Amino acid sequence: MSLSTKYDPSGIEEHWYKEWLDNKLFHSEPDGREPYTIVIPPPNVTGILHMGHMLNNTIQDILIRKARMEGKNACWVPGTDHASIATEAKVVAMLKEKGIDKQSHGRENFLKDAYEWKDKYGGIIFQQLQKLGCSCDWDRSRFTMEPALSDAVFEVFNDLYEEGYIYHGTRMINWDPVGLTALSDEEVNHVEQEAILYYLNYALEDGSGHIQIATTRPETILGDTAVCVHPEDPRYKDFIGKKCIVPVSNRAVPIIADDYVDMEFGTGALKITPAHDENDHEIGKRHQLETIDIFNANGTINEAAGHYIGKDRFVVRDEIAEELKSLGALVKTETLQNKIGLSERTKAVVEPRLSAQWFVDMKKFVADYPQVLDSVMSDEVQFYPAKFKNTYKYWIENIKDWCISRQLWWGHRIPAWYMPDGTEIIAKNSTEALEKARIKSPGITAEELKQDEDVLDTWFSSWLWPISVFDGFKEEGQKELSYYYPTSDLVTGPDIIFFWVARMIMAGYKYQGKKPFDRVYFTGIVRDKQRRKMSKQLGNSPDPMELMKTYGTDGVRMGLMLSAPAGNDLLFDEGLCEQGRNFCNKLWNSYRLIQGWETTNENIEFYSNNSDLIHTWMEFRLNECKKSLKKQFSEFRISDAIMDLYKLTKDDFSGWYLEMIKPAYETPIPEADLKRVKGFFEEILSLLHPFMPFITEHLWQNMEDRNGAYINQTSWPEIKEAKETISIQVFDLISAIRAKRNENQLSPKMEAAISVQTQDQNKYKIAEQIIAKLANIESLSFGEGEGFKVLVGTDEVYIHFDQVEETVDLDKIQSEIKRLEGFLFSIEKKLQNDKFMANAKSEVIDREKQKKADTESKLNTLRAQYSQHS
């Protein structure tokens, strides 16, 4: 097949992906091979591809394609998450545009609309992942709310309830006034802001004076039921036991003493609002204080407050401050920095609220399953980068109960039913609930049982993902589960280490008695060049589909990976996508060059003398790269791996090897040599394939008839032994000669006479014909010569061109002397460091000593040259 003059990815990508799908290349079934399993972090079912998805799924695809080539039974399970809060918000907005109110619409109608929305938009992200080249086993696609996975959720809820891990209780929770739902602690982001501290006087009931408090939330004084001081604070000893009057509400409340109060903060006197602050609530319980909830669910003031009814909490903050000022109760204000909690989904300021919710007793869980922490700290589950082990450890050791109920309709409805007398029935479904209820009350009907209105936190289904995707909670799924579980690698972001990673480890040990995965690779966060997190609001997040359209999928994948240092944030630069596209063109043109060569079976002197030398050198460079790749993949240094391949392909193969081996103009190349060239190119395509699947498939197929095979079915190239037959100084010499021609604006056709002062003449002699071919030299001699003098390593090289007068750039020599003196100083400092000399390996120390000797030699040469011409 002939190739077009320019690489056009559009038709190629679509063609090969369809072929891969049609031939079931990504499908996996249990067999005798070693399994390699990845479960996708399920994106929101109605979501669209963003740059975080691009990074995460590109890495997963690289790992899964490489595993296939290593002969493993690679299984990448895709799926989507029902995403309760996000999806419900979209459906509510859609209904609102039609003039429909969610509550009046009713639960049944709302869910019907939600499923229609899911069916309409739910497949978009799968199509986009396919455009990215993701080699998922699409036959295995799962959805967290499909019947089988829902059954697993209800079974686990029942099991944990019966074992005492799940309980229902009234506690202070995080409330989202926009989403109108409870949130877990992990769904709240704490951000610093500038706030106002209000100093208020509360008059003593007996008229003897006042007590001063300080608060950042004056609107909550309408729910105050006490003022609290430290029992040892001398300022307030005579106040304890008295009552004071809360301004505006004019309610008398007691002044109490509690060790919790910080005497140094504010005035040392603390207003207590048990309904709207977790610490106040605990103080209220200790002192049996009244609890007055002054907020409606949407953050407006309710009737219990007695004032400002129906107004928003932040509006009331400003208005009540003015009223307090007019009453003479506001003494002064100060600004300070404090933290507020924002809903991770809606960005609303979270309100502490007393509420009856469902919880998982996490302290009991981690106490009963110590492997949850031990497995990570012992590296049974390996974290990359390892720095996240300490983050994980801190969270586990300070774990709080998990609020799992959400005041939503879209999601897994909590499997709890209530009898008319309030008796709670926990069951897997309504039929089982009725059976259980009839044990207690034989005549009860289904209509008399009322199911809990709330749904479960989305993460309550996600934490079962590595088990449930294989139907691991059903008998018929045990064969697959025993083969694919534990999974191999999990690729995810550090922002969900608590939401998801920790909880999957918990579920794994609880329900399978073993870890859910071997390794976890935490990607960085995608940021722009100014280090800002990419977001729609900032307008700094490019459209991934447009990027792939502009640069080709392989170009974008490469650009992403070049930007992505292991475990660190990715500073995305669109220029790297352009670099990726250019690399694709380089690969394409390299093959077009090879494809255009004519062959012969006759002997040609240059090839007879140099072929083995050139091919062995390329074998050596290829194997050095393979060794490096093996190390980089073992450490999840995917960015370093693609950079090594980039250099191998662009510099070693295309830059030097093809230049050395290519035939002269209108001259053939021996057939055996072309075969070796194509063999190396094919190995490079195989190494590049996991990173750049489309162009590598197309070129590999173009090389010969593959009889229905595909590049991802071939074996990952093995490491072979080879010697470095051509010294790096040979290439430096060629580059130096070319550079002198360019500096002096000389034609490449002008020959050069070369003299070299060196202790190792052989490295140049064996490559003399190669130097002559690539640098156009007429002679190579050894010893002092005439012409331009340059350093190649520590060797002195004289480059002479006929009829060209040599000029010496003293400024350039002096600049190089300064640079080398600085370099020598850093080496000497290192060698004088006792800690370095005691801890470094002997080969590292020897390498530093050699660097010192080489640098000193170069300096002596340059100083002599400077003295000679100055």
Side-chain angles (χ1 to χ4, degrees), residues 68-315:
R68 281 195 198 99
M69 297 175 79
E70 290 172 332
K72 297 171 184 174
N73 188 352
C75 180
W76 184 9
V77 182
T80 51
D81 190 284
H82 63 279
S84 289
I85 297 175
T87 305
E88 179 147 332
K90 288 181 179 179
V91 177
V92 168
M94 180 267 292
L95 291 173
K96 191 174 182 180
E97 286 179 7
K98 296 179 180 179
I100 301 171
D101 174 69
K102 171 189 163 183
Q103 295 297 328
S104 59
H105 198 43
R107 188 176 198 130
E108 190 175 330
N109 289 328
F110 178 84
L111 289 176
K112 182 183 175 185
D113 289 329
Y115 272 106
E116 286 177 1
W117 178 275
K118 173 253 178 190
D119 292 341
K120 183 176 181 180
Y121 297 104
I124 291 175
I125 200 160
F126 278 179
Q127 294 167 14
Q128 293 176 326
L129 288 172
Q130 290 177 359
K131 172 66 178 167
L132 183 59
C134 295
S135 56
C136 300
D137 185 349
W138 298 106
D139 294 336
R140 291 182 173 274
S141 298
R142 307 306 296 260
F143 172 51
T144 50
M145 270 178 65
E146 66 177 83
L149 272 64
S150 295
D151 288 346
V153 168
F154 299 139
E155 181 178 330
V156 166
F157 185 97
N158 275 255
D159 178 63
L160 294 178
Y161 179 84
E162 288 170 8
E163 293 186 24
Y165 294 107
I166 284 181
Y167 65 92
H168 189 251
T170 299
R171 288 186 44 188
M172 186 68 70
I173 53 94
N174 304 299
W175 182 260
D176 181 342
V178 173
L180 300 179
T181 182
L183 302 172
S184 67
D185 290 338
E186 291 72 35
E187 291 170 295
V188 179
N189 296 326
H190 294 278
V191 297
E192 198 163 87
Q193 64 157 18
E194 186 176 88
I196 299 173
L197 187 64
Y198 299 83
Y199 287 82
L200 307 177
N201 281 343
Y202 284 23
L204 297 177
E205 188 183 39
D206 61 9
S208 61
H210 63 263
I211 187 167
Q212 192 173 103
I213 62 96
T215 180
T216 57
R217 302 197 63 193
E219 70 277 13
T220 62
I221 69 171
L222 301 172
D224 285 0
T225 56
V227 169
C228 190
V229 298
H230 196 281
E232 295 176 8
D233 192 332
R235 295 171 295 176
Y236 299 117
K237 282 200 175 291
D238 295 336
F239 287 75
I240 298 169
K242 291 185 175 184
K243 287 190 174 184
C244 59
I245 307 297
V246 179
V248 181
S249 68
N250 291 319
R251 186 172 54 254
V253 297
I255 299 172
I256 60 174
D258 196 286
D259 290 337
Y260 169 78
V261 177
D262 180 358
M263 288 188 280
E264 303 301 319
F265 180 76
T267 64
L270 186 69
K271 63 186 280 302
I272 304 300
T273 318
H276 300 295
D277 182 275
E278 188 168 357
N279 296 313
D280 288 9
H281 180 62
E282 292 303 314
I283 292 172
K285 285 198 294 186
R286 287 197 291 273
H287 296 271
Q288 292 87 47
L289 298 176
E290 181 186 3
T291 298
I292 304 172
D293 184 348
I294 65 166
F295 289 130
N296 293 311
N298 64 358
T300 57
I301 306 296
N302 65 23
E303 293 182 357
H307 300 265
Y308 300 101
I309 297 166
K311 291 189 175 183
D312 182 79
R313 53 190 168 149
F314 297 118
V315 171

Side-chain angles (χ1 to χ4, degrees), residues 366-545:
V366 296
D368 290 349
Y369 294 92
Q371 311 98 304
V372 171
L373 178 58
D374 295 345
S375 62
V376 172
M377 301 315 294
S378 68
D379 289 332
E380 182 184 352
V381 176
Q382 293 178 288
F383 278 10
Y384 295 88
K387 64 183 181 182
F388 288 111
K389 288 169 64 174
N390 287 332
T391 307
Y392 180 89
K393 181 174 185 282
Y394 180 83
W395 187 76
I396 293 295
E397 289 180 343
N398 295 275
I399 203 162
K400 296 180 180 178
D401 286 359
W402 174 15
C403 177
I404 57 171
S405 46
R406 299 290 179 270
Q407 288 62 55
L408 303 166
W409 286 349
W410 174 251
H412 297 101
R413 194 168 178 180
I414 290 175
W417 286 259
Y418 301 96
M419 296 172 65
D421 63 359
T423 301
E424 200 171 71
I425 303 291
I426 306 299
K428 295 171 188 172
N429 51 57
S430 57
T431 303
E432 185 178 285
L434 185 59
E435 290 172 358
K436 287 185 174 182
R438 282 179 173 165
I439 295 172
K440 299 176 183 292
S441 178
I444 195 170
T445 64
E447 290 72 26
E448 291 176 287
L449 278 181
K450 302 299 180 187
Q451 188 174 355
D452 198 301
E453 291 289 325
D454 294 348
V455 298
L456 288 163
D457 179 10
T458 298
W459 298 102
F460 196 85
S461 53
S462 302
W463 76 324
L464 310 176
W465 190 246
I467 305 171
S468 61
V469 293
F470 298 112
D471 289 325
F473 290 93
K474 295 178 179 291
E475 185 60 38
E476 56 267 30
Q478 294 311 302
K479 179 185 174 184
E480 288 213 337
L481 188 70
S482 63
Y483 180 76
Y484 291 117
Y485 186 97
T487 63
S488 306
D489 291 323
L490 176 73
V491 181
T492 189
D495 51 332
I496 57 174
I497 188 171
F498 312 130
F499 284 125
W500 196 42
V501 178
R503 291 169 183 165
M504 282 191 289
I505 293 173
M506 295 172 78
Y509 283 108
K510 173 74 175 78
Y511 290 103
Q512 291 300 311
K514 49 190 171 184
K515 61 186 178 181
F517 25 70
D518 297 326
R519 294 167 296 275
V520 183
Y521 174 58
F522 294 103
T523 66
I525 295 170
V526 184
R527 300 183 183 277
D528 64 16
K529 288 186 283 186
Q530 298 176 46
R531 297 188 174 273
R532 299 177 304 174
K533 188 174 180 179
M534 287 190 169
S535 68
K536 289 180 183 177
Q537 288 81 0
L538 288 174
N540 63 345
S541 182
D543 180 351
M545 302 306 289

Side-chain angles (χ1 to χ4, degrees), residues 36 56 72 107 124 164 190 195 212 221 300 347 353 356 358 369 527 563 652 660 668 736 758 843 861:
Y36 177 86
N56 189 289
K72 297 171 184 174
R107 188 176 198 130
I124 291 175
H190 294 278
Q212 192 173 103
I221 69 171
T300 57
K347 311 307 178 192
R353 189 182 193 201
W358 291 90
Y369 294 92
R527 300 183 183 277
S563 310
D652 296 336
M660 289 189 286
T758 179
E843 58 265 31
T861 301

